């Protein structure tokens, strides 16, 4: 028995050097990725000179095509997609969509994903086919609700780029943003103007992943940023007036989360 154990140990020791010499390549290494979103992604926003996508560019050699604009909401995604197609056609590998916090702040109603009607449909289950009445649901395409906006955006993007990987990123936690007297945003532990909390918009974004067959990376939970606590103010632009926009340190943490999560996605 001891001899068998010794043989196994020696075999492992022989194999280990070969494993350690194996070169690992991240599946997103050297890819071209389009980034859609708002101020957190916008290259012109000054809260952080280095954004999460610049870290991914540095670490993985990803070529970034960035179309995010400060203040935009989900209803701007089709425009960003059209600009991507106009400038790069089909010459890219994936799209990341990181948006939704402004929809919450502006009090966009959540709405519903589908409308439902009763219709006649032909079926056959172990018997001759015949007409039966069944419920039939249709995605609601409206610019006036959060779910309707997502339906429009993802329908548009998936039709335009059916061969590309599309990844949703949930909005991160947010605390106060006090820019001036006409842009004063309370923290997420307050309801917005229609009585909804940020968490409802996070859940809707995760629902969209199943409805539209796109993966979602839940940055809201996975990146660990929690600006409501003073201890996490170090990751944001200004502890007193801007705990909405991550600073370089916050973006680095987001980027590390993405780098590992993307290992699971082609």
């Amino acid at each position: 028995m001891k001899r068998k154990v010794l043989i196994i140990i020696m075999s492992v020791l022989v194999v280990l050097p070969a494993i350690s010499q194996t070169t690992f390549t991240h599946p997103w290494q050297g890819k071209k990725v389009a980034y859609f979103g708002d101020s957190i992604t916008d290259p012109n926003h000054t809260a952080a000179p280095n954004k999460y996508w610049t870290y991914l560019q540095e670490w993985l050699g990803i070529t970034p095509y960035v179309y995010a604009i400060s203040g935009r909401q989900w209803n701007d995604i089709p425009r960003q997609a059209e600009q991507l197609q106009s400038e790069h056609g089909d010459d890219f590998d994936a799209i990341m969509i990181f948006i939704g916090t402004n929809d919450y702040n502006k009090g966009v109603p959540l709405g519903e994903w589908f409308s439902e009607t009763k219709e006649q449909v032909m079926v056959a289950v172990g018997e001759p086919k015949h007409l039966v009445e069944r419920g039939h649901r249709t995605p609601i395409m409206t610019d006036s609700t959060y779910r309707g906006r997502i339906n429009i955006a993802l329908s548009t993007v998936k039709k335009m780029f059916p061969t590309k990987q599309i990844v949703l990123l949930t909005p991160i936690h947010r605390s106060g943003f006090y820019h001036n007297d006409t842009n004063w945003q309370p923290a997420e532990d307050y309801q917005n103007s229609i009585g909804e909390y940020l968490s409802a918009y996070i859940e809707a974004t995760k629902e969209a992943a199943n409805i539209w067959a796109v993966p979602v990376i839940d940055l809201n939970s996975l990146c660990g940023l929690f600006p409501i606590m003073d201890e996490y103010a170090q990751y944001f632009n200004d502890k007193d007036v801007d705990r909405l926009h991550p600073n370089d340190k916050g973006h680095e943490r987001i980027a590390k989360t993405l780098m590992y999560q993307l290992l699971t996605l082609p």
Side-chain angles (χ1 to χ4, degrees), residues 130-243:
H130 59 286
L131 285 172
V132 298
E133 184 180 82
R134 290 189 178 176
H136 177 247
R137 65 184 192 179
T138 304
I140 296 174
M141 302 291 182
T142 177
D143 190 53
S144 62
T145 70
Y146 189 69
R147 291 186 174 100
R149 290 177 172 189
I150 295 177
N151 279 341
I152 292 172
L154 294 184
S155 175
T156 300
V157 173
K158 287 180 74 74
K159 286 178 181 178
M160 291 174 70
F161 308 114
T163 65
K164 307 303 179 183
Q165 178 66 279
I166 301 165
V167 184
L168 301 185
L169 311 180
T170 59
I172 59 174
H173 286 276
R174 51 180 289 162
S175 193
F177 178 62
Y178 314 121
H179 185 62
N180 56 44
D181 287 346
T182 61
N183 190 359
W184 195 276
Q185 303 180 27
E188 67 175 50
D189 48 359
Y190 288 94
Q191 295 173 321
N192 63 11
S193 61
I194 60 168
E196 297 287 356
Y197 291 100
L198 176 64
S199 57
Y201 295 80
I202 303 300
E203 291 305 312
T205 304
K206 291 191 283 187
E207 291 168 8
N210 284 315
I211 290 171
W212 287 100
V214 293
V216 61
I217 297 177
D218 187 10
L219 286 181
N220 187 262
S221 65
L222 294 174
C223 75
L225 297 178
F226 198 58
I228 291 176
M229 296 178 65
D230 290 342
E231 289 79 1
Y232 287 83
Q234 62 184 298
Y235 292 101
F236 288 82
N237 183 36
D238 188 300
K239 66 182 180 64
D240 295 319
V241 299
D242 185 5
R243 295 194 199 180

Side-chain angles (χ1 to χ4, degrees), residues 19 43 53 66 79 86 93 96 98 103 123 125 131 154 175 182-183 201 211 235 237 244:
I19 294 175
W53 49 266
V66 186
R79 185 202 61 78
S86 174
D93 300 291
M96 289 191 199
F98 186 16
D103 298 79
V123 300
V125 184
L131 285 172
L154 294 184
S175 193
T182 61
N183 190 359
Y201 295 80
I211 290 171
Y235 292 101
N237 183 36
L244 171 62

